[in-house]
Amino acid sequence: MNNPTVREQDHTQSEEQLNLLQTITMEVAAASDLASALEVVLRDVCEKTGWVLGHAWVPNQDGTILDFVAAWCCGDGELKPFRAVSEAFRFKPGVGLPGRVWKSKQPSWIEDVINDPNFPRSAAAQTAGLKTGVGIPILSGGKVIAVLEFFMRESREQSERLLSVITAVAGQLDLLRRATHAEAATREREFRTLANSISQLAWMADEKGYIFWYNDRWYDYTGTTLEEMKGWGWQKVHHPDEVGRVVEHIKIAFATGEPWEDTFPLRSKTGEYRWFLSRALPIFDADGKVSRWFGTNTDITEQRELEKALRASQDELEQKITDRTAELSRINEILRSILSNMGDPVIVADKDNNFLVFNPAAERMFGKGAMQAPSTEWSHRYGLYLPDKVTPFPKDQLPMIRSIRGEEVDNIEMFVRHEKAPHGFWTRVTGRPLRGSNGDVLGGVVVCRDITEIKEEEFFRAGQSRVLEMIAADAPLADVLTSLVLLMEGQAEGLRCSILLLNRDGKHVRHGAAPHLPEAYVKAVNGAPIGPRNGSCGTAMHRRKPVVVTDVMTDPLWVDYRELAKICGLRACWSTPILSAQGDVLGSFAMYREENRGPQSEETRLTQIATHIAGIAIERQRQQEILREREARISLAAESADLAFWILYPEQNTAWMSEKGRLIYGFDSKLPLTCDLILSRVHPDERAAVKAAYDRSCALSGTFESEHRLLLPYGKTRWVIMRGRCLKDEEGNLVETIGVTLDVSAQKQADLQLQHQREEMAHRNRVSLMGEMTASFAHELNQPLTAIANNASAARRFLQRGNIDPALLQQLLQDMVADSQRAGEVIRGIRSLVRKETSVQTLLDLNSVITETVRLVSTDVLSRESVVTTELDPQLPQVSATLVQIQQVLLNLIINALDAMEGLPPAERRVIVSTRSDRGDVAEVSVRDFGTGLPKDQPDKVFDHFFSTKQKGMGMGLTIVRSIIEAHGGTIVAENAPDRGARMLVRLPAVRGQRQTIAAA
């Protein structure tokens, strides 16, 4: 110890330690708080005395454990893991280096911390390479306020001098703490006074979240004490349903140092729970670390209730909006799905011609989607044409444009052709306007449908009809078959067809039609024999069934025609025999292809149609040849016997007649005859009866005889008797009717005179009708004549007295003139009914005519103890007719109705005259009685000549009525009423055009 070198070293160390003490004392004095002072001590001790690491520990609020608060290391990265382990430790008294110093309140020096049994961090220390450790308490008033620990990598014995220096520094820290606490106490008192004056519940906690103070408001509300609430005791006044969530939430704030906010219910001293908004802010020290927390709880119960009600209302509104939006979205999605999956194109445009919807089907049909192009270019852009396939569809007639104009468009056909469909197709368009809730047009929608197959089938059927019309018109067979082949070839591209006929020898074929086969091929086949190996056609006719050759170059059936087929470019051929109704082979129909394949389903269908029509044409020609031969033989026999001989073929609607017959019927010798033409020569009045008798005879007895009139073209009438026999086939079908016609005009000459006499009787019957109405007419004349006489007598008396009033006299004279005119009209009506001359037609109001006619027969109705009522349609249209003749019709129908009810009790004798408008085109008059009715089997028989249901009737009245109605272009029908009685329905055409003066009785 007396070594100078040692002494010098000790002196040097003493000076360094003294300087260290001075430096630490000055820096500690400048520190703002204990935490800052601790960091100063850790830094200076480590830098000045060779320690590599220093830690500071302070007791927590409860004084139960030591918490890590500060550290300092000399920049060695290997020390960071040990520091991290230390920060995670909490030491109880006596545990570890800090704990033993805290408990003993004495410094502790450990030369080897790795092997020290009371050093829990030994493993981390070994990893960091630490050896020596020292712990020093910082006391204040005999209480440990902090523990400092230092570490170095070398093993070092205890240094009393260093311990004394650090102990002295601890004294400086105590002085700083005392001064700081005094100042803090002053600020604390001021703060608590302010905190107690606010309306919120306030509290303070340390940096770990330990609440150590509440304001008076808290205690007033909760009725608790600090002892109950300090630390985490505040959980006792929290609602049990919320407290767990609040604790977890606030722990996160305490751990992260982030400001805290939450809402929760707190129990008052009365047991009531009220909701509070709690907010807490961290208070940081000079180093930016949380030193404590200050929080407030604001009562928001009323605000929360208002917010809850507002939120409920808002939620309800939002839910309605959400539901409506979802509904609209769902509807829109459904509509989009429907439009996207619809097979028919759908296009929607607004009123400015902008496309809104152009579904995928529309894009496929028109080759492109919606384009913002003027409507004038739509036809060009989308290839829209009129049915002539050439003229662009007019813009103003486009279905979409018309729909936007407010029109309803139905079934507009147009032809569409564009670059993606060069051959074009047909579409049918329907359009409707889109209207808003106020009815305004917002746009238009059109739906299209591809009708190409329908149109092609229509064209195909029209082509078939033309061919059948040619057959019916007896066009040359070659023309018929050529048209048929061209029709079939037009149904598919690259298709060539032919028809061969079988000769009557049944062994050879002859050319029928092949417009697109090479002439060399046609000549080679014409006249070829049929057989088992004679190409497709010859073999098909031989086998009587279809023959399909998919490769003519290899098929043995084409050995004799192979080279010819090769030259003509034919590679496949299938042929079907044409059979008659009896199954006889008439020929064959063949299809040719330039590629090797068999027939497709559509080609098979075409073959069936072609063979059927060709069979009709060929068989008809053969039948006509047979008929011509037969007619020639019959004509020869008929001319030899000088008979009017004829043959009818109902199935074909054709006929043959000998020259004698043509002379009787007035037919030219070269005029082609039909059954309908012969029937047309029958007088119109007897035509239906003759036809019915003929049909009935053919269906039952098989023999036919009829006596009737013929009306020849030049107006002459001829009476004939027809006798014939109906010939049927094995199945009972009518084949033909053969018979003769006898001219019996001479025998009927007397009947004409008898007819004239009947007409005279009809006129007399008319006059007789007038006689029956004498009482009514006398009554109608008596009224105006009596009025004239009374008015004349009154005028004479006034004149005799000499005090006549001129106005009264003028009125009497006017009445006399009117009554005289009325009497004259009655007389003129009677004369018109009796005369035979034709009156001029005028515009009539049938309701007025009926009213006047009912008035004319009123006396007769009363005398018969009957009632006539009218049911008149005020909208009845006017008719053009002769007034007198219409009155005659009404009189006849009313008198007949009255006669039909003579045997009924008076109470049941009712006649109803009604009118009705039938769509404004026809005026209908009905006269209905409640009598015995008409004959049930033939109610229209009442219109026959001389038919009457009256004992004294002549049977001519209704015949005359019908002739009058028909002369006016109308009809009359007799029918039995549903319950009883009869009804006569008269229908007259309404007048169209310019209105004229109405003539009425």
Side-chain angles (χ1 to χ4, degrees), residues 72-338:
W72 183 268
C73 61
C74 294
D76 194 340
E78 295 181 355
L79 298 176
K80 290 183 178 180
F82 182 76
R83 176 181 174 176
V85 172
S86 298
E87 289 179 352
F89 265 88
R90 302 289 185 271
F91 290 105
K92 295 180 180 180
V95 178
L97 178 58
R100 74 177 74 171
V101 173
W102 182 24
K103 183 177 182 181
S104 66
K105 301 181 182 180
Q106 297 293 328
S108 177
W109 190 288
I110 303 175
E111 293 184 13
D112 187 358
V113 296
I114 297 174
N115 295 315
D116 188 271
N118 190 14
F119 194 84
R121 296 169 289 171
S122 59
Q126 183 177 5
T127 302
L130 300 178
K131 283 288 187 179
T132 302
V134 63
I136 300 172
I138 299 175
L139 300 174
S140 176
K143 183 178 179 181
V144 177
I145 62 173
V147 175
L148 304 180
E149 63 176 358
F150 300 95
F151 298 94
M152 63 174 56
R153 287 193 171 92
E154 298 82 10
S155 180
R156 184 175 180 180
E157 295 180 355
Q158 180 173 329
S159 173
E160 295 298 334
R161 186 181 292 110
L162 180 59
L163 289 177
S164 63
V165 170
I166 299 175
T167 301
V169 171
Q172 296 296 325
L173 291 174
D174 179 50
L175 292 175
L176 174 64
R177 178 177 178 275
R178 291 176 182 272
T180 304
H181 279 189
E183 182 181 354
T186 301
R187 292 198 301 267
E188 185 74 15
R189 284 192 300 272
E190 295 175 350
F191 171 77
R192 294 191 180 191
T193 300
L194 179 62
N196 281 323
S197 67
I198 64 177
S199 61
Q200 291 98 331
L201 312 183
W203 51 269
M204 286 190 294
D206 63 13
E207 72 278 7
K208 301 301 181 182
Y210 184 92
I211 298 180
F212 56 85
W213 175 85
Y214 294 92
N215 70 347
D216 294 342
R217 298 283 185 185
W218 175 277
Y219 300 125
D220 291 342
Y221 176 77
T222 62
T224 61
T225 64
L226 179 61
E227 291 301 321
E228 295 175 293
M229 295 290 103
K230 68 179 180 179
W232 297 82
W234 48 267
Q235 300 178 50
K236 299 174 184 177
V237 296
H238 275 254
H239 195 282
D241 294 342
E242 301 285 340
V243 65
R245 177 188 60 80
V246 175
V247 169
E248 292 298 323
H249 190 189
I250 201 169
K251 280 184 177 180
I252 294 174
F254 289 154
T256 61
E258 296 292 330
W260 178 71
E261 180 176 314
D262 200 353
T263 57
F264 44 75
L266 292 178
R267 187 182 68 244
S268 70
K269 58 187 177 183
T270 63
E272 176 192 6
Y273 281 95
R274 295 183 67 83
W275 281 86
F276 288 82
L277 170 63
S278 182
R279 290 174 176 160
L281 293 174
I283 300 174
F284 298 95
D285 58 19
D287 295 328
K289 295 182 179 180
V290 177
S291 62
R292 65 175 58 183
W293 290 81
F294 178 74
T296 59
N297 294 345
T298 304
D299 192 334
I300 59 169
T301 303
E302 286 76 12
Q303 177 184 348
R304 182 180 174 85
E305 292 298 327
L306 290 175
E307 290 177 351
K308 183 178 179 181
L310 179 61
R311 187 165 53 252
S313 177
Q314 183 177 359
D315 290 345
E316 181 180 0
L317 178 60
E318 289 179 352
Q319 185 62 43
K320 290 180 178 179
I321 295 174
T322 300
D323 293 343
R324 182 57 179 165
T325 302
E327 180 182 0
L328 292 176
S329 177
R330 184 172 63 256
I331 293 173
N332 288 336
E333 188 63 29
I334 292 173
L335 290 176
R336 281 194 296 269
S337 178
I338 291 174

Side-chain angles (χ1 to χ4, degrees), residues 676-751:
D676 293 339
L677 184 59
I678 295 177
L679 182 61
S680 68
R681 285 290 194 262
V682 178
H683 196 282
D685 293 343
E686 304 171 19
R687 192 174 300 154
V690 171
K691 181 65 168 62
Y694 170 78
D695 293 339
R696 187 167 52 253
S697 299
C698 292
L700 299 175
S701 62
T703 59
F704 166 72
E705 181 172 341
S706 174
E707 182 177 349
H708 54 266
R709 292 172 295 168
L710 300 180
L711 182 60
L712 303 182
Y714 43 85
K716 182 179 179 180
T717 300
R718 178 172 287 158
W719 281 91
V720 297
I721 296 177
M722 292 183 67
R723 295 191 181 97
R725 179 177 297 276
C726 301
L727 304 180
K728 301 180 180 180
D729 58 17
E730 297 177 354
E731 298 178 357
N733 299 317
L734 181 61
V735 176
E736 63 184 24
T737 303
I738 186 170
V740 295
T741 297
L742 303 177
D743 186 351
V744 294
S745 299
Q747 293 89 328
K748 289 294 180 178
Q749 196 65 33
D751 293 342

Side-chain angles (χ1 to χ4, degrees), residues 542-683:
H542 176 76
R543 295 179 180 176
R544 303 170 63 85
K545 62 181 181 180
V547 172
V548 177
V549 175
T550 59
D551 187 353
V552 299
M553 296 294 105
T554 59
D555 196 287
L557 297 181
W558 279 73
V559 172
D560 297 337
Y561 305 96
R562 188 167 298 159
E563 292 302 321
L564 184 60
K566 183 177 182 180
I567 296 173
C568 297
L570 305 179
R571 293 296 180 266
C573 175
W574 46 90
S575 180
T576 302
I578 301 171
L579 304 177
S580 68
Q582 293 74 30
D584 298 329
V585 177
L586 303 176
S588 67
F589 174 79
M591 289 185 173
Y592 301 85
R593 281 290 182 180
E594 296 180 358
E595 66 272 11
N596 295 330
R597 68 172 178 84
Q600 298 174 351
S601 59
E602 177 62 15
E603 292 166 334
T604 301
R605 185 180 77 93
L606 294 176
T607 297
Q608 294 173 348
I609 296 173
T611 54
H612 175 68
I613 296 177
I616 294 174
I618 299 171
E619 191 169 17
R620 179 181 176 86
Q621 185 205 42
R622 292 194 174 183
Q623 289 178 350
Q624 288 178 341
E625 291 176 354
I626 295 173
L627 289 176
R628 282 194 293 270
E629 294 175 357
R630 182 180 178 185
E631 288 170 0
R633 293 193 294 268
I634 294 175
S635 180
L636 179 60
E639 290 175 1
S640 301
D642 193 25
L643 295 175
F645 198 73
W646 46 261
I647 303 176
L648 306 180
Y649 303 100
E651 187 70 21
Q652 295 83 18
N653 191 27
T654 59
W656 173 89
M657 185 173 285
S658 67
E659 290 299 325
K660 180 70 173 180
R662 287 177 176 269
L663 181 62
I664 293 176
Y665 281 82
F667 293 134
D668 184 82
S669 60
K670 296 182 179 181
L671 179 67
L673 299 182
T674 65
C675 300
D676 293 339
L677 184 59
I678 295 177
L679 182 61
S680 68
R681 285 290 194 262
V682 178
H683 196 282

Side-chain angles (χ1 to χ4, degrees), residues 445-501:
V445 56
V446 297
V447 179
C448 309
R449 174 161 294 179
D450 191 329
I451 59 169
T452 303
E453 293 185 2
I454 297 175
K455 294 296 290 185
E456 289 179 349
E457 185 64 23
E458 287 180 2
F459 295 147
F460 183 50
R461 292 186 179 276
Q464 295 179 54
S465 298
R466 287 193 297 271
V467 174
L468 293 173
E469 289 173 0
M470 292 177 67
I471 296 174
D474 291 329
L477 181 61
D479 295 345
V480 173
L481 299 182
T482 299
S483 297
L484 178 60
V485 168
L486 291 174
L487 175 64
M488 297 302 156
E489 290 179 342
Q491 306 310 305
E493 290 188 18
L495 179 64
R496 288 187 281 182
C497 304
S498 72
I499 294 178
L500 291 178
L501 305 176

Side-chain angles (χ1 to χ4, degrees), residues 851-872:
T851 301
E852 182 64 21
T853 304
V854 171
R855 188 180 63 80
L856 285 174
V857 299
S858 58
T859 303
D860 195 33
V861 171
L862 290 175
S863 66
R864 293 173 181 250
E865 297 183 277
S866 302
V867 176
V868 177
T869 60
T870 58
E871 298 175 358
L872 306 181

Side-chain angles (χ1 to χ4, degrees), residues 885-946:
Q885 293 182 358
I886 297 303
Q887 283 183 323
Q888 179 183 351
V889 169
L890 292 172
L891 287 171
N892 209 318
L893 295 180
I894 293 173
I895 294 300
N896 282 353
L898 294 172
D899 291 342
M901 298 185 298
E902 285 184 349
L904 298 178
E908 298 181 12
R909 299 173 187 171
R910 291 187 299 122
V911 177
I912 301 175
V913 182
S914 61
T915 59
R916 185 176 70 90
S917 173
D918 189 355
R919 299 186 301 275
D921 297 332
V922 174
E924 182 178 282
V925 179
S926 169
V927 179
R928 188 260 170 93
D929 64 59
F930 291 84
T932 57
L934 304 171
K936 294 183 179 180
D937 54 345
Q938 292 180 322
D940 285 342
K941 192 174 181 62
V942 295
F943 296 109
D944 291 349
H945 295 284
F946 308 115

Side-chain angles (χ1 to χ4, degrees), residues 17-18 77 117 141 170 191 270 345 386 405 537 558 625 650 663 670 782 788 817 843 849 880 890 952 960 976:
Q17 292 172 356
L18 181 59
F191 171 77
T270 63
L386 291 174
R405 288 203 302 258
C537 297
W558 279 73
E625 291 176 354
L663 181 62
K670 296 182 179 181
N782 186 53
I788 292 172
V817 171
L843 203 61
V849 176
S880 177
L890 292 172
K952 299 180 180 180
I960 296 171
N976 284 312

